[in-house]
């Protein structure tokens, strides 16, 4: 019974249309940021290297290379601050966490593309 | 009467606010409660309202508990009625599992229901529950003592308390010295928890932060008695 109540409570914080993407996808994450009191959209694009949690706590990590330096950002999937997530490219991956990409640089970072 | 209601802890989760901030919340199922009794200065010497939460099967309730919620005919009640003593009014509901009083005068009728609606407009609440029992616990767990070092000659005293008193004077251990002992399973009050949401339809209350006790344990919720800036 309690489980049902928790689902009910969490439902209000979940997005109706959960963005669909997978590990290894190259995505554009459109986030709303507040500048002064003007809101604008910032795009963070990179590879989804990890997902964790479930329900309102579901998170994903996006990694990209900025000026030769690896940058990772962790986003809550259901955050109202995330406007949309666009999948740019899908790739062939064989594990759930792509932490091995952290050790790689240059051309070795590339993942093999998965054609639909 | 202080705005209050009985309920139980459902669990912890987090919700998003509109600006994207995450609020860690405890979900409490509150009410509906029946008003079982209204205590008055004339009859009881103090004013209070007694609430009952969650039905208890009649077969599990004692005769006293059944008599608390409904009129039961007995030899004594007949004698009292014959001598002209007016019987107290009963709520005529099922026996309740969790019964508590809230002090103060009220205009609530015996038998009426109290729902989560009483907490609407309340910004902060106190939640009273029974903390998780931890059995006989040492000083490190119970009082956050530091213990002793892992090495450097410490022998078999790594989680001990150290000294408990002074020397020849006073020659005894002071009363109230923090020592190992039973920890938890005690009534605990957490004051001034911010109300995140009141859901009257589903009898739910979401408060920011943690509440004592395991999931499913009974809690008393009242409007906070904390005054001044929070």
């Amino acid at each position: 019974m309690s489980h049902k109540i928790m689902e009910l409570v969490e439902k209000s914080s979940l997005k109706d249309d959960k963005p669909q993407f997978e590990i290894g996808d190259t995505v554009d994450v459109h986030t709303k940021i507040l500048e002064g009191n003007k809101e604008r959209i910032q795009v963070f694009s990179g590879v989804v290297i990890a997902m964790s949690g479930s329900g309102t706590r579901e998170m994903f990590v996006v990694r990209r290379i900025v000026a030769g330096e690896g940058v990772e950002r962790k986003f809550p999937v259901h955050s109202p601050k995330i406007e949309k997530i666009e999948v740019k490219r899908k790739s062939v991956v064989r594990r759930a966490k792509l932490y091995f990409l952290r050790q790689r640089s240059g051309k070795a970072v590339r993942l093999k593309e998965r054609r639909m | 009467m202080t705005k209050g209601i009985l309920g139980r802890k459902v669990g912890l989760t987090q919700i998003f606010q509109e600006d994207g901030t995450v609020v860690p919340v405890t979900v409490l199922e509150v009410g509906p409660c029946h008003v079982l009794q209204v205590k008055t200065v004339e009859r009881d010497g103090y004013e209070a309202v007694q609430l009952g939460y969650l039905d208890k099967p009649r077969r599990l309730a004692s005769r006293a508990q059944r008599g608390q919620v409904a009129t039961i005919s007995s030899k004594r009640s007949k004698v009292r009625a014959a001598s002209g003593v007016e019987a107290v009014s009963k709520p005529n509901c099922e026996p309740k599992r969790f019964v508590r009083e809230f002090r103060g005068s009220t205009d609530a009728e015996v038998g009426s229901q109290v729902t989560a609606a009483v907490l609407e407009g309340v910004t902060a609440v106190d939640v009273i529950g029974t903390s998780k029992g931890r059995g006989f616990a040492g000083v490190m767990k119970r009082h956050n003592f530091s213990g002793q070092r892992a090495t450097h000659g410490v022998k078999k005293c790594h989680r001990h308390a150290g000294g408990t008193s002074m020397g020849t004077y006073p020659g005894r251990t002071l009363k109230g010295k923090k020592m190992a002992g039973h920890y938890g399973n005690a009534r605990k009050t957490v004051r001034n928890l911010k109300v995140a949401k009141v859901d009257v339809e589903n009898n739910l209350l979401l408060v920011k932060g943690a509440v004592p006790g395991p999931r499913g344990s009974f809690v008393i919720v009242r409007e906070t008695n904390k005054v001044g800036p929070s």
Side-chain angles (χ1 to χ4, degrees):
Chain A
M1 187 195 72
S2 316
H3 189 66
K4 280 197 185 118
I5 296 174
M6 296 306 287
E7 272 179 11
L8 189 77
V9 171
E10 290 194 353
K11 212 167 73 183
S12 64
S13 276
L14 297 179
K15 283 182 180 168
D16 299 329
D17 49 340
K18 190 181 155 189
Q20 294 297 320
F21 57 91
E22 289 168 309
I23 299 287
D25 290 0
T26 304
V27 291
D28 281 1
V29 184
H30 295 249
T31 52
K32 294 179 203 162
I33 59 165
L34 213 58
E35 255 176 16
N37 41 16
K38 261 178 66 184
E39 207 174 51
R40 68 177 189 88
I41 304 285
Q42 192 185 52
V43 182
F44 188 88
S45 48
V47 182
V48 179
I49 61 161
M51 283 158 95
S52 62
S54 64
T56 55
R57 291 165 300 279
E58 192 170 349
M59 310 279 278
F60 65 101
V61 182
V62 177
R63 179 180 171 87
R64 67 173 299 185
I65 308 290
V66 180
E69 193 66 40
V71 176
E72 285 177 15
R73 260 190 88 174
K74 197 169 187 179
F75 298 97
V77 173
H78 294 282
S79 169
K81 281 277 167 186
I82 293 182
E83 173 87 0
K84 62 175 175 182
I85 299 167
E86 271 182 284
V87 178
K88 289 289 181 194
R89 184 173 177 271
K90 291 188 147 326
S91 43
V92 181
V93 288
R94 301 183 69 164
R95 55 205 71 223
K97 309 278 189 238
L98 307 182
Y99 295 144
F100 65 87
L101 291 178
R102 292 172 176 166
Q103 262 64 262
R104 299 194 179 175
S105 60
K107 280 187 174 180
V109 175
R110 290 173 305 169
L111 296 167
K112 196 174 163 193
E113 187 167 359
R114 179 152 58 99
R115 303 267 175 203
M116 286 293 115
Chain B
M1 167 199 148
T2 46
K3 287 178 186 173
I5 194 165
L6 309 176
R8 65 170 162 192
K9 180 173 168 177
V10 177
L12 282 81
T13 183
Q14 60 183 34
I15 56 172
F16 286 103
Q17 281 180 337
E18 275 170 30
D19 61 349
T21 49
V22 169
V23 185
V25 293
T26 305
V27 181
L28 303 172
E29 189 181 26
V30 288
C33 295
H34 273 95
V35 175
L36 300 186
Q37 200 181 349
V38 176
K39 301 209 167 178
T40 57
V41 174
E42 303 88 70
R43 197 179 62 232
D44 307 288
Y46 66 102
E47 285 185 320
V49 57
Q50 190 183 63
L51 300 183
Y53 173 65
L54 224 61
D55 288 349
K56 184 177 193 168
R58 288 186 194 181
R59 66 190 159 79
L60 296 179
S62 67
R63 189 174 162 85
Q65 286 169 332
R66 281 182 280 133
Q68 185 186 24
V69 295
T71 311
I72 302 181
S73 178
S74 68
K75 207 158 142 191
R76 184 156 181 259
S77 72
K78 281 173 196 152
V79 171
R80 282 167 74 91
S83 62
V85 179
E86 204 183 325
V88 291
S89 58
K90 301 286 173 144
N92 285 320
C93 60
E94 293 296 308
K96 297 296 176 186
R97 280 180 60 184
F98 187 53
V99 178
R100 289 292 182 274
E101 273 181 18
F102 290 92
R103 293 294 283 263
S105 65
T106 174
D107 50 3
E109 294 278 317
V110 169
S112 63
Q113 282 207 335
V114 177
T115 62
V118 294
L119 294 170
E120 271 182 322
V122 173
T123 54
V125 292
D126 296 344
V127 179
I128 302 162
T130 306
S131 60
K132 283 183 182 173
R134 290 162 179 88
F136 193 100
V139 286
M140 285 181 72
K141 188 192 277 275
R142 192 174 183 221
H143 298 299
N144 294 327
F145 280 19
S146 312
Q148 294 180 35
R149 297 165 111 176
T151 57
H152 288 272
V154 175
K155 270 191 179 169
K156 298 173 183 173
C157 281
H158 306 288
R159 294 181 65 88
H160 280 228
T164 54
S165 60
M166 299 65 120
T168 316
Y169 179 80
R172 62 190 169 88
T173 299
L174 299 181
K175 279 194 174 175
K177 176 73 201 156
K178 290 175 180 172
M179 290 188 181
H182 189 265
Y183 178 39
N185 195 23
R187 179 186 158 112
K188 291 281 168 198
T189 308
V190 181
R191 290 171 73 200
N192 212 12
L193 290 170
K194 298 286 173 288
V195 174
K197 194 178 167 191
V198 182
D199 186 346
V200 178
E201 199 182 319
N202 298 308
N203 296 312
L204 295 178
L205 172 70
L206 271 59
V207 295
K208 186 180 173 188
V211 162
R215 286 180 298 236
S217 60
F218 292 125
V219 291
I220 305 168
V221 182
R222 64 160 190 242
E223 186 175 20
T224 187
N225 57 15
K226 199 145 184 165
V227 287
S230 51

